[in-house]
Short mmCIF file of all heavy atoms in Angstrom, two decimals:
data_model
loop_
_atom_site.label_atom_id
_atom_site.label_comp_id
_atom_site.label_asym_id
_atom_site.label_seq_id
_atom_site.Cartn_x
_atom_site.Cartn_y
_atom_site.Cartn_z
N ALA X 90 25.50 -19.75 21.78
CA ALA X 90 26.59 -18.99 21.16
C ALA X 90 27.61 -18.61 22.21
O ALA X 90 27.30 -18.45 23.39
CB ALA X 90 26.04 -17.75 20.47
N LYS X 91 28.83 -18.45 21.76
CA LYS X 91 29.92 -17.97 22.61
C LYS X 91 30.17 -16.51 22.24
O LYS X 91 30.52 -16.19 21.10
CB LYS X 91 31.19 -18.80 22.34
CG LYS X 91 32.21 -18.71 23.44
CD LYS X 91 31.91 -19.72 24.55
CE LYS X 91 33.10 -19.86 25.50
NZ LYS X 91 32.83 -20.82 26.58
N VAL X 92 29.95 -15.61 23.20
CA VAL X 92 30.12 -14.18 22.97
C VAL X 92 31.06 -13.62 24.02
O VAL X 92 30.75 -13.63 25.22
CB VAL X 92 28.77 -13.44 23.03
CG1 VAL X 92 28.96 -11.95 22.74
CG2 VAL X 92 27.78 -14.05 22.04
N ASP X 93 32.22 -13.16 23.58
CA ASP X 93 33.23 -12.62 24.50
C ASP X 93 33.50 -13.54 25.69
O ASP X 93 33.57 -13.09 26.85
CB ASP X 93 32.80 -11.24 25.01
CG ASP X 93 33.05 -10.15 23.99
OD1 ASP X 93 33.70 -10.43 22.97
OD2 ASP X 93 32.62 -9.00 24.22
N GLY X 94 33.62 -14.83 25.40
CA GLY X 94 33.92 -15.79 26.45
C GLY X 94 32.72 -16.26 27.25
O GLY X 94 32.86 -17.14 28.11
N HIS X 95 31.53 -15.70 27.00
CA HIS X 95 30.33 -16.12 27.71
C HIS X 95 29.56 -17.13 26.86
O HIS X 95 29.27 -16.87 25.68
CB HIS X 95 29.42 -14.92 27.99
CG HIS X 95 30.00 -13.93 28.96
ND1 HIS X 95 29.79 -14.02 30.32
CD2 HIS X 95 30.77 -12.85 28.76
CE1 HIS X 95 30.41 -13.01 30.92
NE2 HIS X 95 31.01 -12.29 30.01
N ALA X 96 29.23 -18.27 27.46
CA ALA X 96 28.39 -19.25 26.78
C ALA X 96 26.93 -18.85 27.02
O ALA X 96 26.44 -18.90 28.15
CB ALA X 96 28.66 -20.65 27.32
N LEU X 97 26.26 -18.44 25.96
CA LEU X 97 24.89 -17.95 26.08
C LEU X 97 23.92 -18.88 25.38
O LEU X 97 24.24 -19.49 24.35
CB LEU X 97 24.78 -16.55 25.45
CG LEU X 97 25.67 -15.44 26.03
CD1 LEU X 97 25.43 -14.13 25.29
CD2 LEU X 97 25.41 -15.26 27.53
N ARG X 98 22.73 -18.98 25.96
CA ARG X 98 21.62 -19.69 25.32
C ARG X 98 20.51 -18.68 25.11
O ARG X 98 20.24 -17.84 25.97
CB ARG X 98 21.13 -20.84 26.20
CG ARG X 98 22.16 -21.93 26.43
CD ARG X 98 21.57 -23.07 27.21
NE ARG X 98 21.22 -22.68 28.58
CZ ARG X 98 20.53 -23.45 29.42
NH1 ARG X 98 20.10 -24.63 29.03
NH2 ARG X 98 20.27 -23.04 30.64
N ALA X 99 19.82 -18.79 23.99
CA ALA X 99 18.77 -17.81 23.71
C ALA X 99 17.65 -18.44 22.90
O ALA X 99 17.87 -19.31 22.06
CB ALA X 99 19.34 -16.61 22.96
N LYS X 100 16.46 -17.99 23.19
CA LYS X 100 15.28 -18.31 22.38
C LYS X 100 14.87 -17.03 21.67
O LYS X 100 14.86 -15.96 22.26
CB LYS X 100 14.14 -18.82 23.26
CG LYS X 100 12.85 -19.12 22.52
CD LYS X 100 11.85 -19.80 23.43
CE LYS X 100 11.38 -18.89 24.56
NZ LYS X 100 10.53 -17.78 24.07
N TYR X 101 14.55 -17.15 20.39
CA TYR X 101 14.14 -15.97 19.65
C TYR X 101 12.84 -16.25 18.91
O TYR X 101 12.59 -17.36 18.43
CB TYR X 101 15.24 -15.54 18.66
CG TYR X 101 15.64 -16.59 17.66
CD1 TYR X 101 14.95 -16.73 16.45
CD2 TYR X 101 16.71 -17.45 17.92
CE1 TYR X 101 15.32 -17.69 15.54
CE2 TYR X 101 17.08 -18.42 17.01
CZ TYR X 101 16.38 -18.54 15.81
OH TYR X 101 16.74 -19.50 14.91
N ALA X 102 12.01 -15.23 18.85
CA ALA X 102 10.75 -15.30 18.11
C ALA X 102 10.86 -14.38 16.90
O ALA X 102 11.48 -13.30 16.99
CB ALA X 102 9.59 -14.87 18.99
N LEU X 103 10.30 -14.81 15.79
CA LEU X 103 10.39 -14.07 14.54
C LEU X 103 9.01 -13.63 14.08
O LEU X 103 8.08 -14.44 14.01
CB LEU X 103 11.00 -14.95 13.44
CG LEU X 103 12.35 -15.61 13.71
CD1 LEU X 103 12.65 -16.65 12.63
CD2 LEU X 103 13.44 -14.57 13.79
N LEU X 104 8.89 -12.35 13.76
CA LEU X 104 7.68 -11.87 13.12
C LEU X 104 7.97 -10.53 12.46
O LEU X 104 8.95 -9.86 12.80
CB LEU X 104 6.51 -11.77 14.09
CG LEU X 104 6.44 -10.65 15.13
CD1 LEU X 104 5.10 -10.71 15.85
CD2 LEU X 104 7.54 -10.76 16.15
N SER X 105 7.15 -10.16 11.53
CA SER X 105 7.36 -8.88 10.87
C SER X 105 6.86 -7.76 11.78
O SER X 105 6.03 -7.97 12.68
CB SER X 105 6.62 -8.84 9.53
OG SER X 105 5.22 -8.80 9.74
N THR X 106 7.36 -6.56 11.51
CA THR X 106 6.90 -5.41 12.28
C THR X 106 5.40 -5.22 12.09
O THR X 106 4.68 -4.87 13.04
CB THR X 106 7.65 -4.14 11.85
OG1 THR X 106 9.06 -4.35 12.02
CG2 THR X 106 7.23 -2.94 12.67
N ALA X 107 4.89 -5.49 10.89
CA ALA X 107 3.46 -5.38 10.64
C ALA X 107 2.68 -6.40 11.46
O ALA X 107 1.61 -6.09 12.01
CB ALA X 107 3.18 -5.57 9.15
N GLN X 108 3.19 -7.63 11.56
CA GLN X 108 2.52 -8.64 12.39
C GLN X 108 2.54 -8.24 13.87
O GLN X 108 1.57 -8.46 14.59
CB GLN X 108 3.22 -9.99 12.21
CG GLN X 108 2.96 -10.66 10.88
CD GLN X 108 3.79 -11.92 10.72
OE1 GLN X 108 4.97 -11.96 11.08
NE2 GLN X 108 3.19 -12.96 10.16
N PHE X 109 3.65 -7.68 14.30
CA PHE X 109 3.76 -7.22 15.68
C PHE X 109 2.72 -6.14 15.96
O PHE X 109 2.01 -6.17 16.97
CB PHE X 109 5.18 -6.69 15.90
CG PHE X 109 5.55 -6.46 17.34
CD1 PHE X 109 4.86 -7.07 18.38
CD2 PHE X 109 6.62 -5.63 17.65
CE1 PHE X 109 5.22 -6.86 19.71
CE2 PHE X 109 7.00 -5.41 18.97
CZ PHE X 109 6.28 -6.03 20.00
N ARG X 110 2.61 -5.18 15.04
CA ARG X 110 1.64 -4.10 15.21
C ARG X 110 0.22 -4.64 15.28
O ARG X 110 -0.60 -4.21 16.11
CB ARG X 110 1.79 -3.11 14.05
CG ARG X 110 0.98 -1.83 14.22
CD ARG X 110 1.26 -0.86 13.07
NE ARG X 110 2.65 -0.43 13.07
CZ ARG X 110 3.54 -0.77 12.13
NH1 ARG X 110 3.18 -1.57 11.14
NH2 ARG X 110 4.77 -0.33 12.19
N GLN X 111 -0.10 -5.60 14.43
CA GLN X 111 -1.43 -6.19 14.43
C GLN X 111 -1.68 -6.97 15.72
O GLN X 111 -2.78 -6.96 16.27
CB GLN X 111 -1.58 -7.12 13.22
CG GLN X 111 -2.96 -7.75 13.09
CD GLN X 111 -3.06 -8.64 11.85
OE1 GLN X 111 -2.06 -8.91 11.18
NE2 GLN X 111 -4.26 -9.08 11.55
N GLY X 112 -0.64 -7.64 16.22
CA GLY X 112 -0.80 -8.49 17.39
C GLY X 112 -1.01 -7.74 18.69
O GLY X 112 -1.47 -8.34 19.68
N VAL X 113 -0.65 -6.45 18.73
CA VAL X 113 -0.84 -5.68 19.96
C VAL X 113 -2.03 -4.74 19.88
O VAL X 113 -2.28 -3.96 20.80
CB VAL X 113 0.43 -4.87 20.32
CG1 VAL X 113 1.62 -5.80 20.51
CG2 VAL X 113 0.73 -3.80 19.28
N SER X 114 -2.78 -4.81 18.80
CA SER X 114 -3.93 -3.91 18.64
C SER X 114 -5.07 -4.36 19.54
O SER X 114 -5.17 -5.54 19.92
CB SER X 114 -4.39 -3.90 17.18
OG SER X 114 -5.08 -5.11 16.87
N PRO X 115 -5.98 -3.46 19.89
CA PRO X 115 -7.13 -3.84 20.74
C PRO X 115 -8.01 -4.91 20.10
O PRO X 115 -8.70 -5.64 20.80
CB PRO X 115 -7.90 -2.52 20.90
CG PRO X 115 -6.88 -1.45 20.65
CD PRO X 115 -5.95 -2.02 19.62
N ALA X 116 -7.98 -5.01 18.75
CA ALA X 116 -8.82 -5.98 18.07
C ALA X 116 -8.21 -7.38 18.03
O ALA X 116 -8.88 -8.34 17.64
CB ALA X 116 -9.09 -5.52 16.64
#
Side-chain angles (χ1 to χ4, degrees):
K91 199 85 167 180
V92 182
D93 281 352
H95 293 270
L97 301 180
R98 297 185 293 171
K100 177 172 65 70
Y101 58 87
L103 305 169
L104 74 174
S105 70
T106 303
Q108 287 174 319
F109 193 20
R110 188 176 297 111
Q111 182 179 9
V113 301
S114 74

